[in-house]
Amino acid sequence: MSLVSVTYGLAITTIVVFGVGALFLARRRQRIKKDDTEFFLTARHSVPERTIAWSFYASGVGAWTIFSLPAYALSAGIIGLISYAVSCGLPILIVANVGAVLHRKYPGVLSLGDFVQWRFGFIPTIIVTLVMLFNMSIGLCAEYTSIGNLMELVIGGPRLPIILCVAIVTSLYTAAGGLYVSILTDVAQGVFGITLLLIMAIYVAVTYRPENLPTPLPEGLGPNYWGWAAVGAMPISMTCATFFSEAPWQRIWASADERALRRGSLWGAMGLIVVCFLYGFGGFLALWAGYPMSAPDGSTLFFDLLGAGKEKAPGWILVLASLATVTMNEGNVDSLQNAIVDTLASRFFRGKSVWYPRVLVFLINIPIVFVSLKGYNIMKLYLIGNLVCTICAVPLLLGLVDRFEGIVTGWSMVFGVITGFFSIVVFGYLKNGKDLAVGMQYAFIESYDWPSFVLPLVFSFIGVFVAAGVEGVIRKACGFEYPVPLNLPPQAHAEADQKEEIQSNGSSTVA
């Protein structure tokens, strides 16, 4: 049998086995307890520490890991690779800690969009929801592109069948079981993926025998501009993108308690950092040894390492690498699909059957699958989404600061987003000889340059408070109340009433 037939057969079998297992768990769950729509979306307070740790890991790592990190090492070298790997795990810790604060203040929210609705109002909610859907769709497209690249560029088969298989199977079991079942499958997918990685690591340790390793490192692999730029760009890029993905927020709601959340996110983040670094370092070793690149953009460098300088690696190790890629891909795709369902349900289908967003996710997959067939560069796909998220991050996070309640309003948030966007436009314009089109292409498509990520943070912050100052002057001049009274969630109103009652009872007792 050919390598294509064997790999395709085992890959599809792996996908289906995990899918059937998920459907079994969903069926058993429904027999034991009929879940309501809220639990389907959030699995609120149901997942213990170890399980949530595996889920943070499996939902973060994906097929993109095997292709993006080695490709990034090609231009940013060892410094860029380390920055990228650390930035894959660090955002989980940051979002988990922010989420713990948010969950403590507003325990009834179903999603990040819920918080934005209560805190900022209708227009900012639409903006944040669209940004989240765009960001998660980019992630889904990158996953489909990655698994398609595996079959087309590495194995030599067509990309469409494997993409359709992953899209259909994951859509079926996420529609049946929701977040809780997705989290349970994350454990099995994570364990299986790491087991295969360990086998590949042993194989590389035995077979990596390059004739000559140049020292010091060549300029492209050693410290260089793009490597040092990654120190600023990658943590900001990945953290902001994580904030605007519902997948980690769902795991915050699902954690059994705050201790499980903090410890689980720590273990998950550590796993992400180590695994992402190992896959990226594999590509780095291939470059350092001077192995021939099978793809000009460096995306298949990890598989070039398995080949040890030959035209192709042994079939059995390619099959194992393919199964690891497929497993990580399935875990990431089902998490993104659940996250999209949650975002749609909590914003556009509140109070309606959860089948509406379920069906919509099937429909959303159609254009995403179509785009993934084009085989666009994965790093460039992520760059577009990450920059959009970076523009919106600071105005959103300022809404969590108590002292700014009533000062940072929906209008000042929107203005901050606008100033953040124009800061990137101006940077690209000045960087590229005052050519607007070339500048936009440089900033949004070509380069992970540090000013593209630092400037939006600074200028969106400035924009928020300029708008807040103007709004304050206008409101006071017109006789309106300022700071603006907040429209808090019902749960927060109830807690506030209880505090006032306790305080009044205490005052009566003292009197």
Side-chain angles (χ1 to χ4, degrees), residues 9-293:
L10 291 175
I12 290 176
T13 300
T14 302
I15 295 167
V16 172
V17 165
F18 280 120
V20 170
L23 289 172
F24 170 77
L25 291 173
R27 181 69 174 171
R28 190 179 69 171
R29 173 79 186 177
Q30 290 301 315
R31 284 181 177 178
I32 296 172
K33 184 178 180 181
K34 193 76 172 177
D35 296 328
D36 57 17
T37 300
E38 180 181 335
F39 189 87
F40 180 91
L41 297 173
T42 66
R44 192 179 296 276
H45 301 317
S46 63
V47 184
E49 176 186 319
R50 290 184 182 179
T51 306
I52 206 65
W54 279 110
S55 188
F56 271 119
Y57 164 77
S59 63
V61 74
W64 66 271
T65 307
I66 298 181
F67 294 92
S68 294
L69 279 107
Y72 196 64
L74 178 62
S75 60
I78 188 64
I79 302 297
L81 172 60
I82 293 172
S83 299
Y84 198 172
V86 172
S87 301
C88 290
L90 181 64
I92 298 297
L93 294 176
I94 297 173
V95 173
N97 280 278
V98 172
V101 174
L102 178 61
H103 195 46
R104 209 180 303 128
K105 289 182 68 175
Y106 309 112
V109 296
L110 294 178
S111 66
L112 180 63
D114 260 1
F115 164 72
V116 177
Q117 175 70 55
W118 296 118
R119 179 62 180 82
F120 292 114
F122 178 74
I123 293 178
T125 300
I126 296 300
I127 293 173
V128 169
T129 300
L130 292 176
V131 169
M132 293 182 75
L133 290 173
F134 177 72
N135 182 44
M136 291 184 289
S137 296
I138 288 281
L140 201 53
C141 183
E143 278 301 303
Y144 290 151
T145 302
S146 298
I147 201 65
N149 286 350
L150 170 72
M151 290 303 175
E152 185 173 87
L153 302 180
V154 179
I155 304 301
R159 65 171 58 227
L160 179 59
I162 194 70
I163 294 174
L164 288 178
C165 182
V166 172
I168 293 170
V169 171
T170 52
S171 296
L172 286 174
Y173 74 74
T174 53
L179 178 62
Y180 184 76
V181 169
S182 175
I183 289 175
L184 294 183
T185 60
D186 285 342
V187 178
Q189 289 161 342
V191 171
F192 187 59
I194 287 181
T195 302
L196 294 178
L197 174 59
L198 291 175
I199 295 173
M200 289 186 287
I202 295 170
Y203 171 82
V204 170
V206 172
T207 60
Y208 187 71
R209 297 292 183 270
E211 295 180 1
N212 180 40
L213 290 176
T215 53
L217 289 171
E219 183 179 353
L221 296 181
N224 58 44
Y225 175 82
W226 293 111
W228 293 117
V231 175
M234 280 303 172
I236 297 172
S237 168
M238 300 294 284
T239 300
C240 294
T242 304
F243 268 109
F244 285 90
S245 173
E246 195 68 57
W249 291 100
Q250 284 184 302
R251 281 143 187 84
I252 292 170
W253 318 137
S255 299
D257 50 41
E258 192 167 319
R259 182 177 183 274
L261 170 61
R262 293 188 184 279
R263 292 172 64 91
S265 62
L266 175 62
W267 287 110
M270 290 172 60
L272 273 169
I273 292 171
V274 171
V275 169
C276 289
F277 176 78
L278 288 176
Y279 279 119
F281 192 61
F284 177 87
L285 290 176
L287 287 168
W288 194 13
Y291 292 163
M293 291 196 305

Side-chain angles (χ1 to χ4, degrees), residues 201-440:
I202 295 170
Y203 171 82
V204 170
V206 172
T207 60
Y208 187 71
R209 297 292 183 270
E211 295 180 1
N212 180 40
L213 290 176
T215 53
L217 289 171
E219 183 179 353
L221 296 181
N224 58 44
Y225 175 82
W226 293 111
W228 293 117
V231 175
M234 280 303 172
I236 297 172
S237 168
M238 300 294 284
T239 300
C240 294
T242 304
F243 268 109
F244 285 90
S245 173
E246 195 68 57
W249 291 100
Q250 284 184 302
R251 281 143 187 84
I252 292 170
W253 318 137
S255 299
D257 50 41
E258 192 167 319
R259 182 177 183 274
L261 170 61
R262 293 188 184 279
R263 292 172 64 91
S265 62
L266 175 62
W267 287 110
M270 290 172 60
L272 273 169
I273 292 171
V274 171
V275 169
C276 289
F277 176 78
L278 288 176
Y279 279 119
F281 192 61
F284 177 87
L285 290 176
L287 287 168
W288 194 13
Y291 292 163
M293 291 196 305
S294 55
D297 63 356
S299 60
T300 57
L301 278 167
F302 182 80
F303 300 95
D304 297 334
L305 173 71
L306 298 180
K310 300 176 183 177
E311 186 176 351
K312 209 154 201 176
W316 69 271
I317 196 67
L318 280 180
V319 170
L320 290 186
S322 300
L323 295 183
T325 308
V326 164
T327 302
M328 293 191 298
N329 177 258
E330 190 173 14
N332 193 271
V333 167
D334 73 39
S335 297
L336 287 169
Q337 289 183 342
N338 262 307
I340 292 172
V341 170
D342 185 17
T343 302
L344 292 171
S346 60
R347 292 272 49 84
F348 302 115
F349 300 100
R350 182 179 292 275
K352 298 181 181 179
S353 170
V354 78
W355 279 104
Y356 286 102
R358 283 173 175 171
V359 172
L360 195 54
V361 167
F362 273 102
L363 298 178
I364 286 174
N365 267 285
I366 295 173
I368 294 175
V369 167
F370 177 78
V371 173
S372 71
L373 296 177
K374 303 295 183 182
Y376 292 124
N377 185 286
I378 298 167
M379 290 295 293
K380 292 181 179 180
L381 286 174
Y382 278 124
L383 176 58
I384 299 169
N386 292 1
L387 268 178
V388 171
C389 295
T390 302
I391 291 167
C392 302
V394 167
L396 170 67
L397 292 175
L398 288 174
L400 283 170
V401 181
D402 289 341
R403 69 175 62 185
F404 298 147
E405 288 184 354
I407 297 174
V408 176
T409 64
W411 294 111
S412 55
M413 179 204 169
V414 171
F415 190 78
V417 171
I418 294 171
T419 55
F421 170 74
F422 278 106
S423 70
I424 299 179
V425 173
V426 172
F427 165 69
Y429 176 75
L430 296 176
K431 176 79 175 179
N432 291 274
K434 298 184 178 180
D435 188 318
L436 183 60
V438 174
M440 292 286 284

